């Protein structure tokens, strides 16, 4: 028979998956001899079973619960519902990972009309007993039975009003009895039955409530945000009550073994005399700093300090502890690895190595890769932001804080940026044409679009703060005004935004630049020593490239050449090329682009100082380079610039219109229909490499990447143009260099025919953005309309565009890796695109044996750390 | 060493892959003792090698050719270029499958300034010799060296003009010598070198020209149309010349052993006295019917009849033969299985069984499934069409002939159709809203769109003739006019169109209905006995269902419920449902649809008479049910109908706008966000089944199909709604019936997670249209813009939307079949969508072990026959 219930003394820290974090640590503390009020844990497997059994707790589990209860009662020498010496318990949820979205605690469970009298006798305090009872009724009704807490508050207020008092403490024991009676009446009215008097019923209802809370919308949302699988379930901890509110020799508090904000190595926390845990949280009384306990209760303080040191040494990590003092006796109610800021995490990890508690590899595992994000972007000055109230909130699309003046078009933003003004670009939504304006902005704000909208993706890539999809914004681009909940901003007005929280503020809030401290550098060194996966960056200009190299990038994994095409001095030639009717006209326009593109590549090769660069050839559908049909003025301007008519441009826009551009004429399909584009890009890449090699001596091996290949013959066809052009350049310049030609694997068919494609491709770079779209059959731009329903229905637990879907897309990736290696054992394999910076995806990439991941510059340190985690975890699991 | 060259006596009929059809049959005729002018065949492998070697014929092949040439010269006792007795040859291409796109014949090869004199001596006819020489120069220059034939014709005309004659035959021997000199001068001028005098050079150049012709655009196009792989290559046949033009005891002709139009069992053909083969083809002289040869040359005629009988018995098939008579001696130049009309194919196959020459299974293999198409649609009356000249030509999108009056909107077409008028619907392109109008039309004509456009797909499904993508049409919907090359048609004017050829005619051309003859029925009986794959149909209304059942459909594999939503009496409720803001409003609209949809299903269950039906739930994005934003008048009309405002409708259209609707909010994603739609459809299906079971006693087992599933939890979620609704209906009606719930497999992720999906799905139906789109990453609606480049570059050899891409999409299908069976060994597997009617795809489906294919009603007989082919071929290959 499966064991579903464990006494604390039966468990240990390693049983976290079964007992949850809280339960496992209560067991561990019990085992190492700390004073823990005893109790038992109902396992996560019981929760899973509960859902399998259609939300019923099986008889065998009930039996085990009551058996453990009996043993705990015996330990305490008390009895549930006893009229002399009643046993009371707390019931708390406790999942494998800490989950604030779940059920709150129920305290004082076991009180009923009989036990309350027993409690009164035992404590000699009738008022305390009835106060505890009324608190329990309210808590149980609220947390377990879903009766609104405020209904009870109304009754309490009425009683106080009738008595002419304002504070709870002014109510007498009889008043409390009156309150209890009224609370019970409310319960009867709301639920149609009496408040349960049987403590066992109270217990089972509470346990069920914890199980149910695993699937409440908050918990689901939290799990999705934190990549926690729904299948884990939660455990339930039932623990004998101790009381911190029975007099001035009682108290309760929480403390960290080190400062969770700074990482400083000193006890940090607070406590309250004569209080229960909830009072600390509720904030009615102001808790005292933990160090003052030394004076108040010297012996208790010393004991607590010893426990803290013991626990930190035991867990080799900073601990977050809860304790209660009952009549001068210290009880430990919880310990866990403490949450901490990124800066603290770095300092603690490095300090613990210096203190001999951790090896460098262990220290690396103590810092969550995602946490580094906040260290790599500007933040609001802590004092400046304290008083600020957001005027609106959108989606936190790209982290970091930004303050500046609002501009409503990319052109205005670029102009202001060039003039040295701090710019916040405000748009309904951004388009590829806005690139330059975005680049000159400190922050980007949009009214539409989701976490993977154009604005979000590009801002993250550029490391610009961005808040998107803020529906409260009313943007009038024509009149250049932004209205937010009635407040109007005109061009040049100051706003501030926080891309990590989605908050938008009126006015200018001071920001501080990101700083990389010594701890950070030391930890990254250890990470680099541990990892085997290389980390490259996605960059399209020398500035981003330099930034990425500073952050440790080992090359460029994805240079999107089309991003170079949007800038003002080249878009004209690009449009000329698109409007060309003949190969000759197209080649004429391309000839103008060649020196510009070659110059781009030269600057990037220089910024890379010899590191490799994968250049992806023109990818987006050509219509993206033309204005929308409705933009009459812009079309006229372009027409006059190019010496043609608006009609001609509109005709071309019509020709280029596609029903599903994502699946249209783009990627290598452009190179198949217009080989001259691929030829121009090849010239630019190779000539730049030769020039920079000559000038700087770097031994550059250009990596040419053909996008969107679905069929080997497609690659062969384009490769032929590329190789012929390279041979021409070699002949012209009377020199040769090495180069390699590969492809993006971003179409399902490329995965299943990867063995064939590898005959021509020297490397694969997995374009998991598109691969995810095609594999799921949904478009990133449109999925927003239904993905919320999918999260709510728990069909998806995480955003497949943020975290690689290992079960589906991952299978295709694995297949392509296997087939590719069968043909070409030494094939170079990488991943580019948004997923390349996601830690769980990086672990996947490590495990399937890719050579590198490539991500935006600001995610490079995160990727380095995640790669180290993957390598160390793999080693440890062997 | 590989043998690349085979003397005719070294080959046999079975070596068709190596020697090509013509070469293998020349060898076979040699072996069975027929008088064949001897020669040799350069194999298809030599052609493949030629391309591998960068279009050079390897030395070893050259050696083998000259060796075979020497042996053939010896056989004839003649020598290449000999001044007394010169050896002349013909050079002809000959692929595995007959390919009219390839190189024409070169005759009289071997003639030069010396040999022509030898020929003159030998024949005693100087004029004949020089006429042959000038013909050879012209033919070689045209066919091998690509000098325009007309340049030579100009010279000949000039010579005739100078001599004051009009007919070639009026030119003397000296005139011919003059022509030869002038032809040679033209050659020198065009090619910069003398006309090659070395017969071996002439021969090698001709062989290379045949190899080159394998990859000319015509050949590539023909291969694509006929599913012939580019890797096959062509063989070259070099054969000693015999002359049918050396006097009145000479002649040449072609004949079939049976009538290729009707299949009637009598010799059919024609011949010319004193002529070469090309004269028969050129049509300058009118050939005589073959039976008149009996009088002209009785012995030769008898011999030829004996040969014909022998060959037909030998090949067990109707033969198409070429022959030449040289001075009273009969030579056989070619035999092959003759091309025939569909009707003839059926009659011949059935007759050959009755004559004991074939078994029924062999007869089944003699009829190409695709051929049946023409028997299943109306055709123009043969006499009526003879004189008609097309006014324009578009893509032959859906076979059959149609004549009627033009209408320019679906509503006008429907109104005219309801009034009993024959309608041709003329549209820029069709949209799903045009369904009803299309249904009331005999033919559909569009100016835009390709073979897989909406108009094409729907017309094929409905069995309506359609010509699409005819760019010559100028359609003015507003003024209701159609202008074609200057000719204007107004509403009600007559036009006729042929969906099998793409031709469009002015006026009314008589059509004849399709007739299913007794031969057809007998052959299909044999096919049904042989096949194991079941054939279902895609049908959405009782009329199509009845048609399909008549054509032998064993059930419905795909009932697209949304097609039912477009008809006039229900589109209003559909729109009301879409415009609903709350679940309640939506349910109110759905309640109106329920009885209508239930009625549809009842009618279809009745039409099926107990056969199974798979009902696919609502699939298209909802915007398809609303007009386009620009259709102001229609929007206003809908608004007034529904009691709302145009603004509200426009707002909804904006909300529903998607960047890539193909990958948007559709399929089961609709059922996830609006479970009430799935609930209504479930009620309709189940209530209809119960009602028809009660009324007619059919034991109906509804098959409910959830479309576009990509993840097992999605299916679970929708299935829950379906099952709950079914349980409710059962409870209400106090009865139960069996049912099954399955899914379309049309998303790559569904294929790779098919093992999981099969835990919930009782059947899979492969939706290979969408699966092809997602697997290739291109949209059917947009691919037209670049697919031509892909065919030209030989990246694709066939349209992946017409013929299943077995190498890519097929791999995913196989994977899903394997994974699905692992979970559920008895899972029912089928395919629906366009591919289900394609013979090569049907063979694939048979081989991977699907249970059934489903195709449009008019393709059911084709599918039955193709399934029989697959089963018989599999048996034969064992």
């Amino acid at each position: 028979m499966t064991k579903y219930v464990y006494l604390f003394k039966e468990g240990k820290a390693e049983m976290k998956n079964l007992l949850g974090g809280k339960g496992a640590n209560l067991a561990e503390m019990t085992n190492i001899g700390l004073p823990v009020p005893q109790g038992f844990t109902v396992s996560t497997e019981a929760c899973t079973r509960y859902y399998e059994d259609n939300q019923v707790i099986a008889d065998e589990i009930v039996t085990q619960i009551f058996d453990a209860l009996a043993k705990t009662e015996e330990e305490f020498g008390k009895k549930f519902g006893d009229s002399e010496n009643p046993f009371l318990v707390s019931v708390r949820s406790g999942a494998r990972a800490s989950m604030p979205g779940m059920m709150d605690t129920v305290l004082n469970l076991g009180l009923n009309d009989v036990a309350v009298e027993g409690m009164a006798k035992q404590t000699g305090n009738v008022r305390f007993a009835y106060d505890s009872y009324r608190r329990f009724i309210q808590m149980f009704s609220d947390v377990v039975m879903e009766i609104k807490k405020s209904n009870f508050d109304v009754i309490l207020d009425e009683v106080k009003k009738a008595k002419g008092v304002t504070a709870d403490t002014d109510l007498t024991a009889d008043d409390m009895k009156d309150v209890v009676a009224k609370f019970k009446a409310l319960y009867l009215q709301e639920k149609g039955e009496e408040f349960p008097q049987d403590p066992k019923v109270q217990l089972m209802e509470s346990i069920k409530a914890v199980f149910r809370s695993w699937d409440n919308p908050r918990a689901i949302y939290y799990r999705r945000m934190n990549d926690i699988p729904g299948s884990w379930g939660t455990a339930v901890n039932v623990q004998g009550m101790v009381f911190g509110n029975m007099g001035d020799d009682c108290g309760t508090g929480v403390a960290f073994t080190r400062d969770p904000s700074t990482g400083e190595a000193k006890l940090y926390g607070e406590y309250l005399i004569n209080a229960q845990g909830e009072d600390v949280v509720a904030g009615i009384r102001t808790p005292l700093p933990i160090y003052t306990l030394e004076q108040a209760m010297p012996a208790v303080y010393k004991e607590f300090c010893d426990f803290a040191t013991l626990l930190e040494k035991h867990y080799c990590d900073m601990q977050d502890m809860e304790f209660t003092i009952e009549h001068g006796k210290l009880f430990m109610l919880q310990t866990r690895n403490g949450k901490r800021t990124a800066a603290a995490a770095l300092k603690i990890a490095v300090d613990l190595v210096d203190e001999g508690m951790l090896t460098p590899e262990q220290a690396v595992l103590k810092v969550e890769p995602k946490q580094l994000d906040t260290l790599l972007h500007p933040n609001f000055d802590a004092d400046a932001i304290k008083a600020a109230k957001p005027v609106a909130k959108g989606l936190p699309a790209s982290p970091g804080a930004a303050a500046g003046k609002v501009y409503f078009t990319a052109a205005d933003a670029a102009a202001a940026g060039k003039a040295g003004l701090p710019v916040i670009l405000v748009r309904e939504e951004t388009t590829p044409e806005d690139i330059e304006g975005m680049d000159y902005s400190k922050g980007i704000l949009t009214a539409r679009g989701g976490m993977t909208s154009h604005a979000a993706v590009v801002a993250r890539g550029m490391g610009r703060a961005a808040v998107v999809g803020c529906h409260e914004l009313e943007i009038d681009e024509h009149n250049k005004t932004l209205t937010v909940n009635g407040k109007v901003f005109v061009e040049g007005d100051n706003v501030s935004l926080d891309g990590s929280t989605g908050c938008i503020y009126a006015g200018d809030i001071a920001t501080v630049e990101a700083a990389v401290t010594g701890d950070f550098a030391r930890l990254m060194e250890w990470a680099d020593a541990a990892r085997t996966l290389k980390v490259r960056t996605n960059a399209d200009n020398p500035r981003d490239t330099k930034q990425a190299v500073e952050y440790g990038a080992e090359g460029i994994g994805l240079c999107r050449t089309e991003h170079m095409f949007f800038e003002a001095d080249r878009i004209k030639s690009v449009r000329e090329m698109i409007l060309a009717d003949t190969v000759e006209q197209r080649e004429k326009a391309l000839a103008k682009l060649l020196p510009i593109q070659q110059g781009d590549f030269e600057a990037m090769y220089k910024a890379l100082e010899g590191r490799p660069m994968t250049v992806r050839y023109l990818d987006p559908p050509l219509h993206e380079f033309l204005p929308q049909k409705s933009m009459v003025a812009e079309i006229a301007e372009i027409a006059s610039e190019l010496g043609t008519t608006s009609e001609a441009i509109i005709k071309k826009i019509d020709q280029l219109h596609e029903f599903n551009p994502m699946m249209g004429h783009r990627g290598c399909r452009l190179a198949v229909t217009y080989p001259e584009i691929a030829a121009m890009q090849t010239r630019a890449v190779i000539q730049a490499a030769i020039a920079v090699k000559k000038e700087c001596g770097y031994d550059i091996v250009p990596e040419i990447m053909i996008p969107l290949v679905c069929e080997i013959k497609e690659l062969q066809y384009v490769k032929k143009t590329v190789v012929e052009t390279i041979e021409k350049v070699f002949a012209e310049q009377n020199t040769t260099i090495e180069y390699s030609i590969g492809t993006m694997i971003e179409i399902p068919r490329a995965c299943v025919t990867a063995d064939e494609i590898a005959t021509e491709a020297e490397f694969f770079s997995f374009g998991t953005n598109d691969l995810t779209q095609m594999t799921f059959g949904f478009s990133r731009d449109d999925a927003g309309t239904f993905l919320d329903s999918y999260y709510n229905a728990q069909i998806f637990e995480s955003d497949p565009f943020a975290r690689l879907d290992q079960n589906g897309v991952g299978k295709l990736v694995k297949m392509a890796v296997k087939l590719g290696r069968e043909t070409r054992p030494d094939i170079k394999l990488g991943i580019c695109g948004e997923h390349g910076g996601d830690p769980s995806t990086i672990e996947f990439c490590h495990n399937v044996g890719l050579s590198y991941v490539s991500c935006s510059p600001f995610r490079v340190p995160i990727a380095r750390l995640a790669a180290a985690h993957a390598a160390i975890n793999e080693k440890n699991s062997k």
Side-chain angles (χ1 to χ4, degrees), chain A residues 267 269 271 288-296 301:
Chain A
L267 202 58
Y271 72 102
L288 303 166
I290 191 78
Y291 63 84
T292 63
L293 186 63
E294 187 168 13
Q295 283 188 304
Y301 182 72

Side-chain angles (χ1 to χ4, degrees), chain A residues 659-795:
Chain A
F659 295 100
N660 298 286
M662 186 59 67
M663 310 172 84
H665 193 188
R666 53 176 284 244
C668 70
R669 296 162 197 172
L670 295 169
V672 169
T673 47
Y674 308 122
E676 51 278 8
I677 300 178
M680 182 283 279
Q681 295 205 289
T682 303
R683 261 192 187 277
V685 170
I686 298 294
Q687 290 178 175
I690 292 174
V692 175
K693 186 183 177 183
K694 270 190 200 145
E695 186 183 334
C696 309
Y698 302 137
D699 194 20
I700 299 167
V701 181
E703 296 170 352
I704 291 170
M705 180 154 73
I706 313 299
L708 215 75
V709 164
C710 71
E711 154 66 42
I712 171 67
K713 289 188 193 158
E714 213 175 15
L715 178 58
Q716 279 166 339
Y717 188 83
V718 178
K719 191 175 164 183
K720 193 162 164 276
T721 300
V722 172
V723 171
E724 281 171 5
T725 307
I726 292 176
E727 293 299 328
K728 261 188 230 163
V729 174
F730 286 171
E732 287 162 12
Q733 308 220 358
N734 198 22
T735 185
T736 66
I737 55 171
E738 280 183 58
Y739 61 89
S740 75
I741 299 176
T743 181
M744 295 263 288
I745 299 285
E746 50 185 334
I747 303 257
R749 196 176 188 281
C751 294
V752 300
T753 63
D755 46 349
E756 296 176 5
I757 291 175
T759 59
E760 294 288 344
E762 293 170 82
F763 60 85
F764 287 169
S765 179
F766 289 95
T768 47
N769 292 358
D770 275 358
L771 189 57
T772 298
Q773 297 197 82
M774 309 293 178
T775 304
F776 277 93
F778 50 62
S779 130
R780 195 158 82 153
D781 295 322
D782 302 313
T785 55
F786 57 85
L787 276 185
D788 272 344
S789 304
Y790 272 60
Y791 297 136
N792 292 339
Q794 293 197 69
I795 294 169

Side-chain angles (χ1 to χ4, degrees), chain A residues 214-230:
Chain A
W214 177 251
D215 256 359
N216 73 31
R218 286 194 321 279
I220 290 170
Y221 185 81
Y222 185 86
R223 282 206 294 276
R224 179 153 64 82
M225 291 294 102
N226 292 276
D227 293 339
I228 297 173

Side-chain angles (χ1 to χ4, degrees), chain A residues 134 152-160 168 171 179 183:
Chain A
R134 72 97 190 159
F152 294 96
D153 289 337
V154 167
I155 292 174
L156 193 64
D157 286 344
E158 280 165 3
V159 172
K160 284 193 280 189
D168 294 4
L171 294 177
V179 170
F183 276 16

Side-chain angles (χ1 to χ4, degrees), chain A residues 579 581 626 629 645-657:
Chain A
L579 291 165
D581 289 321
L626 295 178
K629 211 169 151 184
T645 61
S646 287
E647 289 67 38
I649 293 175
I650 288 169
K651 194 176 150 207
K652 180 60 80 173
I653 292 172
D654 279 341
Q655 275 174 12
L656 292 177
H657 172 263

Side-chain angles (χ1 to χ4, degrees), chain A residues 453-710:
Chain A
S453 62
H454 178 265
V457 171
V458 174
R460 283 197 293 272
M462 288 178 165
R464 298 292 177 282
V467 174
V468 304
C470 181
H471 301 296
E472 297 162 81
L473 308 185
E474 292 165 48
I475 298 168
D476 183 340
E477 187 186 320
H478 184 67
N479 292 309
K480 302 193 175 174
T481 63
L482 162 67
T483 311
V484 192
N485 299 321
K487 189 167 168 56
V488 180
F489 299 81
V490 301
E491 188 179 89
D493 280 358
N494 282 302
V495 303
S496 303
L497 56 87
D498 188 337
S500 311
T501 63
C503 288
I504 303 155
Y505 305 88
D508 188 44
I509 302 175
T511 58
V512 286
E513 283 303 305
V516 178
T517 70
D519 292 332
F520 180 97
R522 279 183 75 195
L523 192 96
M524 291 312 293
E525 252 174 54
W526 298 333
D528 288 346
R531 72 186 160 95
T532 54
L533 196 63
K534 290 199 181 301
V535 176
R536 293 194 184 189
T537 192
N538 303 344
D540 323 313
N541 60 57
R543 198 194 49 238
D544 285 357
T545 306
K546 276 187 198 130
Q547 176 73 78
V549 168
E550 271 169 34
Y551 279 156
E554 296 164 283
I556 289 178
L558 176 63
C559 170
R560 286 161 292 211
T561 49
E562 62 270 16
H563 284 188
M564 302 167 166
F565 284 0
F566 284 107
E567 285 186 38
D569 55 338
R570 38 204 89 174
I571 185 77
K572 190 182 151 189
S573 302
V574 173
R575 286 172 174 159
E576 197 180 320
M577 172 190 86
I578 293 171
L579 291 165
D581 289 321
T582 65
V583 176
E584 290 67 33
Q585 286 173 3
R586 210 155 29 241
E587 281 178 339
K588 209 175 122 200
L590 286 164
K592 293 183 199 163
L593 282 171
L594 173 60
I596 301 173
Q597 180 128 72
Q598 181 176 336
D600 289 333
F601 291 138
E602 287 179 14
M604 294 188 66
Y605 279 130
K606 285 178 190 169
L608 281 167
E609 297 169 344
R611 293 176 186 82
M613 170 163 74
T614 306
V615 176
R616 180 181 71 181
Y617 279 18
L618 189 67
D619 186 57
L622 296 182
H623 74 80
E624 289 195 6
F625 297 97
L626 295 178
Q628 290 179 0
K629 211 169 151 184
S630 57
M631 300 166 75
V632 180
E634 196 162 1
I635 290 173
E637 195 187 321
I638 295 169
S640 94
E641 257 181 38
L642 297 182
T644 179
T645 61
S646 287
E647 289 67 38
I649 293 175
I650 288 169
K651 194 176 150 207
K652 180 60 80 173
I653 292 172
D654 279 341
Q655 275 174 12
L656 292 177
H657 172 263
E658 294 183 311
F659 295 100
N660 298 286
M662 186 59 67
M663 310 172 84
H665 193 188
R666 53 176 284 244
C668 70
R669 296 162 197 172
L670 295 169
V672 169
T673 47
Y674 308 122
E676 51 278 8
I677 300 178
M680 182 283 279
Q681 295 205 289
T682 303
R683 261 192 187 277
V685 170
I686 298 294
Q687 290 178 175
I690 292 174
V692 175
K693 186 183 177 183
K694 270 190 200 145
E695 186 183 334
C696 309
Y698 302 137
D699 194 20
I700 299 167
V701 181
E703 296 170 352
I704 291 170
M705 180 154 73
I706 313 299
L708 215 75
V709 164
C710 71

